[in-house]
């Protein structure tokens, strides 16, 4: 099985949950990074290329309001808006799930989870967040690279692209 889903960061204060999730997700993700400390998330995300965050909702013993998870969700979304965050909680609270989704969560998973369902949901979130590039965007990027490669010499860039200089001008107008 090819684990082509990049790197997942799992944040949960329960070491046993982190271990179970690591075993469950190692076959799907290239890397599984775990932490019990939500305050280390931004530092980790600054040092590593994270493709998805799986974030627990509660970190203080005896507190199950989900406010900590919502705080960290907003913090992650503010600093890394392109990284999808899936919330994880032991409490099946629909209003909390809705608040999480309104705050930018990509999905919501309730403990205890079904391994197959968990993997499917995480894959779906990543598949949906992977943007397809249009042909025009791809062409524009290719033209920019050709011009950069030729140090701005449009005649050389056009020749390298196999088009006339006039065609290159016309295409550049659309960029």
């Amino acid at each position: 099985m090819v684990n082509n889903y990049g790197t997942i960061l799992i944040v949960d204060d329960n070491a046993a949950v982190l271990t179970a999730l690591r075993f469950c997700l190692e076959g799907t993700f290239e890397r599984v990074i775990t932490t019990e400390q939500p305050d280390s998330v931004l530092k980790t995300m600054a040092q590593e290329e994270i493709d998805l965050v799986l974030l627990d909702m509660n970190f203080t013993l005896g507190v199950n309001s989900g406010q900590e998870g919502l705080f960290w969700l907003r913090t992650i979304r503010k600093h890394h808006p392109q990284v999808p965050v899936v919330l994880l909680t032991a409490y099946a609270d629909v209003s909390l799930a809705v608040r999480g989704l309104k705050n930018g969560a990509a999905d919501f998973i309730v403990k205890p989870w079904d391994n197959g369902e968990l993997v499917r949901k995480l894959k779906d979130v990543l598949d949906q967040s992977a943007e397809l590039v249009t042909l025009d965007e791809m062409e524009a990027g290719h033209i920019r690279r050709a011009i950069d490669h030729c140090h701005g010499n449009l005649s050389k860039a056009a020749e390298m692209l196999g088009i006339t200089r006039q065609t290159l001008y016309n295409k550049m107008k659309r960029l």
Side-chain angles (χ1 to χ4, degrees):
M1 181 175 183
V2 178
N3 42 1
N4 58 353
Y5 281 91
T7 301
I8 184 170
L9 172 61
I10 306 170
V11 189
D12 195 300
D13 59 324
N14 184 325
V17 167
L18 292 176
T19 300
L21 286 167
R22 175 181 293 282
F23 284 127
C24 174
L25 299 173
E26 279 180 334
T28 302
F29 290 87
E30 290 173 33
R31 293 185 62 216
V32 177
I33 300 173
T34 61
T35 182
E36 292 181 38
Q37 304 298 323
D39 54 0
S40 70
V41 167
L42 292 181
K43 182 179 178 191
T44 301
M45 292 182 80
Q47 295 171 342
E48 305 279 346
E49 188 173 324
I50 304 296
D51 298 290
L52 176 70
V53 176
L54 183 56
L55 176 68
D56 190 24
M57 293 295 295
N58 299 295
F59 295 95
T60 303
L61 194 62
V63 176
N64 60 8
S65 67
Q67 291 307 307
E68 292 169 302
L70 291 174
F71 169 80
W72 287 108
L73 168 65
R74 288 189 299 272
T75 302
I76 293 166
R77 300 293 299 147
K78 178 180 175 187
H79 293 277
H80 301 276
Q82 76 287 1
V83 178
V85 178
V86 174
L87 300 176
L88 183 65
T89 186
Y91 304 95
D93 182 338
V94 174
S95 65
L96 180 59
V98 169
R99 287 205 333 255
L101 294 171
K102 284 183 177 178
N103 278 277
D107 209 334
F108 196 87
I109 294 169
V110 177
K111 299 176 191 173
W113 62 86
D114 171 87
N115 286 348
E117 180 71 8
L118 171 73
V119 169
R120 186 194 60 74
K121 274 190 175 188
L122 296 177
K123 283 181 174 183
D124 284 350
V125 165
L126 281 170
D127 289 345
Q128 289 168 7
S129 71
E131 292 182 32
L132 285 178
V133 178
T134 67
L135 287 175
D136 286 342
E137 291 169 329
M138 193 179 296
E139 181 182 54
H142 193 66
I143 288 171
R144 284 189 199 99
R145 283 190 300 280
I147 293 169
D148 287 346
H149 181 76
C150 296
H151 307 290
N153 184 324
L154 298 182
S155 295
K156 279 186 179 180
E159 184 181 327
M160 188 175 111
L161 292 167
I163 58 177
T164 66
R165 187 179 163 113
Q166 185 60 47
T167 301
L168 179 58
Y169 279 135
N170 291 339
K171 289 183 179 292
M172 287 173 57
K173 286 180 189 173
R174 293 185 295 162
L175 297 182

